Amino acid sequence: MKYADLHVHTYYSDSTFSPKQVIDIAHEKGIDVIGITDHDCFGGIDEACACAKEYNIEIVPGIEISAITDDDKEIHILGYYLDRKDEDFLKKLEIIYASRIERVYLVTKLLQEKGLDIEAQDIFNIVGKGTISRLHIARAIYEKGFVRSLGAAFKKYIGVNAPCYLPHMKISPQETIESILAAGGVPVIAHPITMNDDSLISELVDYGLKGIEVFHTNHSVSDEKKYKKIAKQFGLIMTGGSDCHGDAKRNVLLGSRLVQYEVVEQLKRASLNNV
Ligand code: AMP
Ligand code: MN
Ligand code: MN
Ligand code: MN
């Protein structure tokens, strides 16, 4: 039996691990398949594939996009098996990238107004090779000693509803799902528990959602039960993964949630690309 962790970040977004470190740990833990799902970029995938060959580990190419609803709810959408050369999709990623850089300057200004002695460069210094996220901003606030934990940085400063929160760019759930589909990929809602409103799922299904992340580190057994039921109701693929961020979050989560290989086959069948 083969098992997959379908939600893993690298230092091409906000994990501290290189793709090679991810694969080495996957090998140590005996995980057969790894889904690389960095925020807003494909940067880590080729490197992960090259490293994975050595151990006969399979890579599921993916991405995680943070969509924002009209009333400022954040919904994360995973996309699997997209055409990574799709020009329209790459254009969107470029726009998101630019807006994330712009946000660093804007948030830094808000933090300075709150009395924090912090510069945009402090954040750029800890960014890896790709997407700049709020986790980097939180790490800069923490490493400069303004808070005692990363959680506190979100709570006090940059979390949704905190005074220095700014989303990077408003891309709607509809646009996100349609763009993933247009690039031949399979859109899946990530960690639906964080959305805090299951009634939105049917709307996402209308836009073309094909899967739901039933198994996630932050889901309890009763959450899993609830989302399994919702998946069946709408005929959605039931995916799962750890959402490992290296040691950028409390501990290394790789493999904390696994799904059977059958799920990988379902994703392949749902993709329009030759995978
Ligand atoms: P962004 O997409 O740049 O706005 O940042 C979102 C990322 O910040 C998420 O994917 C998480 O990695 C991280 N994040 C958001 N809220 C929290 C929190 N309360 N604690 C820790 N990490 C968080
Ligand atoms: Mn993240
Ligand atoms: Mn997420
Ligand atoms: Mn994630």
Side-chain angles (χ1 to χ4, degrees):
M1 198 74 97
K2 289 208 283 185
Y3 288 94
D5 179 341
L6 292 173
H7 189 157
V8 179
H9 295 272
T10 75
Y11 67 13
Y12 282 86
S13 65
D14 52 354
S15 168
T16 54
F17 286 168
S18 65
K20 182 174 181 342
Q21 282 173 296
V22 169
I23 300 307
D24 284 343
I25 297 170
H27 174 65
E28 275 166 30
K29 293 193 172 185
I31 305 167
D32 309 284
V33 184
I34 293 288
I36 299 286
T37 54
D38 275 314
H39 297 284
D40 304 337
C41 84
F42 294 127
I45 292 171
D46 286 342
E47 235 173 278
C49 289
C51 302
K53 262 194 196 139
E54 192 183 324
Y55 300 127
N56 212 10
I57 289 172
E58 179 175 342
I59 300 297
V60 173
I63 196 160
E64 181 174 21
I65 307 276
S66 321
I68 316 257
T69 62
D70 287 339
D71 52 352
D72 284 338
K73 269 204 184 92
E74 212 176 290
I75 301 180
H76 290 191
I77 309 283
L78 297 160
Y80 293 106
Y81 293 116
L82 284 83
D83 171 6
R84 302 203 295 286
K85 294 201 165 78
D86 184 277
E87 279 184 21
D88 291 340
F89 198 84
L90 290 175
K91 185 87 211 149
K92 272 200 172 90
L93 293 185
E94 263 175 45
I95 295 167
I96 295 174
Y97 181 78
S99 80
R100 283 180 171 276
I101 295 202
E102 178 67 18
R103 176 176 64 169
V104 170
Y105 292 103
L106 297 172
V107 172
T108 308
K109 227 168 129 202
L110 293 177
L111 292 168
Q112 287 166 353
E113 282 165 18
K114 287 275 161 203
L116 273 61
D117 179 16
I118 194 165
E119 301 291 336
Q121 194 55 46
D122 296 322
I123 295 148
F124 294 134
N125 286 346
I126 54 170
V127 172
K129 294 195 171 191
T131 304
I132 304 169
S133 85
R134 268 184 297 145
L135 195 52
H136 297 110
I137 304 177
R139 277 170 60 199
I141 295 170
Y142 169 69
E143 283 168 21
K144 295 204 75 144
F146 299 121
V147 286
R148 290 194 186 167
S149 67
L150 287 173
F154 281 97
K155 200 161 177 200
K156 207 165 163 200
Y157 296 109
I158 58 165
V160 185
N161 301 326
C164 306
Y165 169 73
L166 283 179
H168 57 280
M169 193 183 93
K170 289 205 176 182
I171 177 164
S172 71
Q174 179 170 9
E175 186 181 348
T176 304
I177 289 171
E178 288 176 354
S179 308
I180 292 169
L181 290 170
V186 188
V188 172
I189 179 168
H191 44 72
I193 194 71
T194 55
M195 195 167 61
N196 220 353
D197 183 359
D198 295 335
S199 71
L200 290 171
I201 294 172
S202 75
E203 203 181 302
L204 302 179
V205 170
D206 290 342
Y207 302 143
L209 189 78
K210 294 217 187 311
I212 181 165
E213 194 173 48
V214 170
F215 309 96
H216 181 276
T217 302
N218 297 347
H219 284 182
S220 67
V221 173
S222 72
D223 294 332
E224 286 174 4
K225 224 167 131 187
K226 177 175 74 169
Y227 291 119
K228 265 187 208 168
K229 207 169 146 196
I230 291 176
K232 281 189 188 137
Q233 183 189 345
F234 292 109
L236 297 169
I237 301 169
M238 297 185 218
T239 73
S242 63
D243 209 355
C244 176
H245 281 72
D247 39 33
K249 294 200 174 177
R250 217 167 304 148
N251 45 13
V252 176
L253 297 167
L254 201 76
S256 73
R257 291 293 184 282
L258 295 167
V259 290
Q260 292 188 3
Y261 194 73
E262 164 64 15
V263 178
V264 176
E265 287 171 335
Q266 288 171 356
L267 292 172
K268 284 180 181 173
R269 282 198 294 272
S271 167
L272 298 179
N273 296 311
N274 192 14
V275 289

